[in-house]
Amino acid sequence: MRVLILGVDGYIGWPLALRLIQRGHEVYGADSFFTRRRVREVGSDSLIPIKSMQERIEHLKKRFSSTVNFFRGDVSNASFIYRLVEEIRPDAVVHLAEQRSAPYSMIDLKHATVTMEKNIISTLSLIYAAKDIRPDMHILKLGTMGEYGTPNVEIPEGFFEVEYRGRKDVLPFPRNASSWYHWSKVHDSNNLMFANRVWGLSVTDVMQGVVYGTRTADIQDRSEFTRFDIDEVWGTALNRFCAQAVGGLPITPYGKGGQTRGFLSLEDSITCLTIGLEKPPERGEYRVLNQFDQYYSINELALTVREVYAKEFGGNAEIMHVDNPRVEKEEHFYKPVSEKLRKMGYSPSGDLKHDLKTILTDVERYRQRVDKLKKVIMPRTQWK
Ligand SMILES: NC(=O)c1ccc[n+]([C@@H]2O[C@H](COP(=O)([O-])OP(=O)(O)OC[C@H]3O[C@@H](n4cnc5c(N)ncnc54)[C@H](O)[C@@H]3O)[C@@H](O)[C@H]2O)c1
């Protein structure tokens, strides 16, 4: 299959490229290096050093006889997207190329605007390029479980049957996001759903939980490492907790720590995306997949990091709750459904404690870089 990965230089895009090349797909990739630049903008860097795209391409040529055919550019630029689709004529496009940090989007109006513009316009441009040039290609778009928020009822996969004043219908499940970033993903989902309805585009909209991990089965040496962010803007809670444990800092859940979210390992994320590509939707179908393995509260994550770090590395990390910079429920019901991927043949391999041992080993290896980045871990970006 000829696959174009938008955001191929990113945390998920790069290991996905490795997996698809190994499986014999023809892989094309695009990136503007937005994340590399924006992480530096907040005084941070990937904790795990990553190679330049040129080095990555050369490395793949040596390890496999195939590599990523790379195009540098901004996918919110319509003429760039049109050129890619025209030249490559992909069977499928995986769209990962978005600003993906909730705190970054909450810094101020400028950052909220960049998030909205880049994210919504990139998806809209891709939709139009598909309609005008290749209407039968499959768009696999990464949304987020965060689009749904934390309702006090079960979260279905995209749609639910509702009865109101004696009448029934199947409707999109309400989205209730908690940052400008998450709202930008909601707007993307609405736009994809509408494009499917009016033009019959084939879309998989993946509502993905928080991805953790430093490795997949394909990442064998340092040339293949993917980025791993630990700062308050770009690093997710589990990444920050691991860095705090290794750096001798307290592990800091925000607020009461009862916030619960769906999580999945990087390995499982790549497996799911590969299944989604290799088992595409029917022509003209809009399908929503909820993708996570387990849900954990932030307190459970903090305790598990502390436990694994103590058992495997003899460390003694303290847990210290800090004021929550975000506006969110700190104790709530959470029960999302994730059935469709399992029906498509997926079974999760992630095991948090086992995976944490690998993550902490990789973070330990770059302990000196943890020391350098310590100053950017504690929260500064306020929602209020
Ligand atoms: N990592 C997670 O836990 C997670 C969870 C849910 C959803 N997602 C979604 O998955 C996607 C990928 O996430 P990630 O963690 O790999 O993020 P990432 O920031 O590491 O990767 C995104 C890549 O896209 C590139 N990019 C961003 N905007 C671009 C643009 N306008 N033009 C060209 N390239 C651009 C970046 O430079 C980066 O290489 C994002 O859309 C994110 O919202 C991620």
Side-chain angles (χ1 to χ4, degrees), residues 9-10 14 36 45-53 55-56 222-228 369:
D9 188 51
W14 170 242
R36 291 187 190 235
D45 197 357
S46 171
L47 175 76
I48 296 182
I50 50 172
K51 299 289 182 191
S52 69
M53 183 45 74
E55 288 167 319
R56 287 177 155 181
R222 290 181 189 202
S223 303
E224 289 159 1
F225 277 157
T226 191
R227 60 176 315 111
F228 186 78
R369 287 171 71 89

Side-chain angles (χ1 to χ4, degrees), residues 7 10-12 31-32 34-35 73-75 100 142-143 181 185 209 211:
Y11 173 60
I12 295 170
D31 210 293
S32 63
F34 177 97
T35 301
D74 184 335
V75 302
R100 54 101 170 150
L142 237 69
Y181 154 72
K185 306 296 267 192
V211 185

Side-chain angles (χ1 to χ4, degrees), residues 6-13 30-36 73-76 80 95-100 118-119 122 141-145 181 185 208-212 227 229 234 236:
L6 307 176
V8 72
D9 188 51
Y11 173 60
I12 295 170
D31 210 293
S32 63
F33 306 120
F34 177 97
T35 301
R36 291 187 190 235
D74 184 335
V75 302
S76 66
F80 179 60
H95 181 19
L96 308 168
E98 296 205 336
Q99 190 299 91
R100 54 101 170 150
K118 295 272 179 205
N119 292 2
S122 67
K141 163 74 176 34
L142 237 69
T144 155
M145 285 298 296
Y181 154 72
K185 306 296 267 192
Q208 193 182 56
V210 184
V211 185
Y212 65 81
R227 60 176 315 111
D229 297 297
W234 296 94
T236 55

Side-chain angles (χ1 to χ4, degrees), residues 64-133:
F64 312 101
S65 47
S66 182
T67 192
V68 174
N69 302 285
F70 180 70
F71 296 76
R72 180 173 183 167
D74 184 335
V75 302
S76 66
N77 173 343
S79 56
F80 179 60
I81 279 281
Y82 268 68
R83 179 166 78 84
L84 290 178
V85 175
E86 185 71 66
E87 270 183 37
I88 300 165
R89 306 196 82 80
D91 300 305
V93 178
V94 185
H95 181 19
L96 308 168
E98 296 205 336
Q99 190 299 91
R100 54 101 170 150
S101 160
Y104 188 86
S105 74
M106 297 299 292
I107 292 174
D108 56 17
L109 173 61
K110 187 175 138 208
H111 292 81
T113 305
V114 164
T115 304
M116 287 286 172
E117 278 181 3
K118 295 272 179 205
N119 292 2
I120 297 171
I121 294 179
S122 67
T123 299
L124 194 60
S125 303
L126 176 61
I127 286 170
Y128 265 87
K131 166 197 168 278
D132 289 344
I133 305 168

